Amino acid sequence: MNIYLTTQILKENDVFIAYAPELDISSCGRNPDEAAKNLREAVELFIETAMEQGTLQDILEECGFSETGSYWKGPEIISSESLQLSMPA
C-alpha cells in the first residue's frame, strides 16, 4: 500500500519544520532534508500504529483520502497563500 502526501517545509528561526497537511503531522530538523526525513519517520510510525489498532482506513477516509487500487491519495491542495490580517489594537 502506498500513501501520497504533500510536504511543506517551513523555517522557524534556526529550525526547519516539515509538515504533511493532509494528516496534520509535522516534524523538524536542522535542515530541510533532515526535517523531511523525520517527517517520513513520524508518518510511518503513525500509519503503523493506526494499522495495529485497525483504524487506518477510518482515519484516512476522515482526512479526505480516497483509495485507488493499491494506493491512497489525499485531497488535492488547490492553493497555498500568505494571508495578512490587521490585528485589533
Side-chain angles (χ1 to χ4, degrees):
M1 171 180 48
N2 294 310
I3 297 176
Y4 291 90
L5 299 168
T6 303
T7 302
Q8 298 174 335
I9 306 289
L10 314 164
K11 186 173 182 187
E12 293 183 9
N13 299 318
D14 294 334
V15 177
F16 290 88
I17 309 296
Y19 179 59
E22 296 93 341
L23 293 175
D24 196 24
I25 297 175
S26 61
S27 193
C28 63
R30 293 172 293 206
N31 57 55
D33 290 337
E34 183 178 275
K37 177 182 155 283
N38 291 341
L39 176 63
R40 175 180 286 276
E41 183 177 313
V43 170
E44 288 172 349
L45 289 171
F46 173 82
I47 290 169
E48 181 181 313
T49 301
M51 288 178 72
E52 288 172 0
Q53 295 178 350
T55 59
L56 181 60
Q57 182 171 342
D58 292 337
I59 290 169
L60 293 176
E61 288 174 354
E62 186 175 311
C63 289
F65 283 77
S66 57
E67 189 174 15
T68 307
S70 63
Y71 70 91
W72 286 85
K73 184 175 184 306
E76 183 178 357
I77 296 175
I78 303 300
S79 173
S80 181
E81 303 174 10
S82 295
L83 177 64
Q84 179 179 340
L85 300 173
S86 296
M87 302 299 292

